[in-house]
C-alpha cells in the first residue's frame, strides 16, 4: 500500500473535526499537519478542539497551526459559536494540559514551510475556504509544485448554493459557503495548474446526517471517536439540514472505490451578485468532480471507522 502525504486545512466546523477524526483512521495516509482557517468558527476554541482531538486519538505527534487569514463574507455567528461548545465536551477535557503542539508560526507560514520541506508533493485536504492555501501560494512560487492535488469541499455546480439571500442581502443564493467566504482566493487557486478534486453540494446533498445515523453512532459511544461524533452531530440537528460535507470529501481519500468521478471544466465567479458561484464553463479549468457515492456503504464505512 502506498502512503499519501496529507495536510488538512479545516475551518473549525463540526464536520471539520470529524473529517480530521476520519482522516486519522486511514492507513494509507500520513498526516503532516493540521491548519485551522478561521472561517466557520472562532479560532481560539477551534484550535483548542483540534489539539484536544489529536490528544484523544493518541496523535499528539501531529502539529497544529492557526491561520490568520481573513475572508470577505463571515460565516453566520450561530454556526461559528459551536466551536466553544465542542471545546467544553467532557470527553475532550480529561487532562489539564494539551500535549499536541501549536506551532509558533501562522497557519499560512506553516503550510508554506511544510510543503517546501516535504520529500514529495503533498495532498491538501481542504474542508474550509481556500484563503490559507492562496496565502501560501503568494508567499513562494515553489509552493505550487509541492502540491500533488487539492481535494476540496466546495462549490455548487448544477444545484442551488447554501448561502441564504435573506441573511446575505446582495447575493443571489448560488454560492456554497466555502467559496463565498473568500471568492477571490478560490478564483486565484483556479488559475493555477494544481490538480483539483471537488466535492460540491451536488453530491453532498445526497448524503444527509440523519437522526437515525446519530442514534446509531451514539450506540457505539464506548468508542471515543463515535462519542465525539454523536455529540457533535447532536448540536446541529436544529440547523435545518446537515450533510456529510467535509466527511464525504475526506472519505474519498480512504475509500475512492465508493465514489464515481467525472471530469469537467469549471470556473469561479469572483464578484457581483453571484460571487463565489462555481460554474461549468467550457473555457474553465480541468476539474475532477466527485459525482456520486454509494450512500449505504458510505454510512457503514463511517460507522466502522469511528468505532475506535
Ligand atoms: O457549505 C458547507 C461547508 O461550510 C462545510 O465545509 C462546513 O464545514 C462549512 O464550513
Ligand atoms: Ca468546513
Amino acid at each position: 500500500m502506498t502512503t499519501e502525504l496529507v495536510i488538512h486545512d479545516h475551518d473549525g466546523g463540526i464536520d471539520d473535526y470529524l473529517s480530521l477524526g476520519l482522516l486519522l483512521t486511514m492507513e494509507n495516509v500520513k498526516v503532516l499537519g493540521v491548519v485551522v482557517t478561521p472561517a466557520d468558527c472562532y479560532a481560539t476554541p477551534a484550535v483548542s478542539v483540534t489539539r484536544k482531538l489529536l490528544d484523544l486519538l493518541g496523535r499528539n505527534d501531529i502539529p497544529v497551526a492557526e491561520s490568520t487569514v481573513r475572508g470577505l463574507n463571515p460565516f453566520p455567528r450561530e454556526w461559528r459559536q459551536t466551536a466553544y461548545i465542542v471545546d467544553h465536551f467532557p470527553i475532550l477535557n480529561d487532562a489539564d494540559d494539551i500535549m499536541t503542539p501549536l506551532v509558533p508560526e501562522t497557519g499560512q507560514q506553516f503550510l508554506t514551510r511544510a510543503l517546501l520541506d516535504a520529500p514529495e508533493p503533498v495532498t491538501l485536504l481542504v474542508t474550509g475556504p481556500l484563503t490559507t492555501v492562496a496565502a501560501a501560494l503568494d508567499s513562494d512560487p515553489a509552493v505550487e509544485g509541492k502540491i500533488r492535488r487539492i481535494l476540496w469541499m466546495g462549490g455548487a455546480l448544477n444545484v442551488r448554493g447554501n448561502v441564504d439571500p435573506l441573511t446575505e442581502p446582495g447575493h443571489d443564493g448560488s454560492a456554497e459557503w466555502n467559496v463565498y467566504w473568500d471568492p477571490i482566493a478560490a478564483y486565484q487557486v483556479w488559475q493555477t495548474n494544481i490538480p483539483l478534486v471537488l466535492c460540491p453540494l451536488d453530491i453532498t446533498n445526497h448524503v444527509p446526517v440523519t437522526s437515525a445515523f446519530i442514534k446509531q453512532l451514539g450506540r457505539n459511544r464506548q468508542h471515543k471517536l463515535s462519542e465525539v461524533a454523536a455529540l457533535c452531530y447532536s448540536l446541529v440537528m436544529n440547523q435545518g439540514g446537515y450533510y456529510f460535507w467535509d466527511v464525504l470529501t475526506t472519505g474519498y481519500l480512504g475509500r475512492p472505490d465508493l465514489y464515481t468521478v467525472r471530469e469537467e471544466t469549471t470556473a469561479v465567479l469572483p464578484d457581483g451578485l453571484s460571487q463565489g458561484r462555481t460554474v461549468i464553463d467550457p473555457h474553465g479549468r480541468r476539474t475532477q468532480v466527485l459525482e456520486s457515492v454509494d450512500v449505504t456503504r458510505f454510512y457503514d464505512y463511517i460507522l466502522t471507522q469511528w468505532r475506535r
Side-chain angles (χ1 to χ4, degrees), residues 11-16 39-41 75 79 126-129 152-155 162 175-179 201 204 242-243 245-246 249:
D11 72 332
I14 291 292
D15 54 341
D16 292 272
D40 190 8
C41 66
F75 270 84
W79 300 0
V126 184
T127 56
W152 190 35
M153 193 285 121
N162 59 2
E176 182 279 327
W177 262 104
N178 283 342
V179 198
L201 296 183
T204 63
Y242 206 86
Y243 294 84
W245 294 298
D246 299 348
T249 309

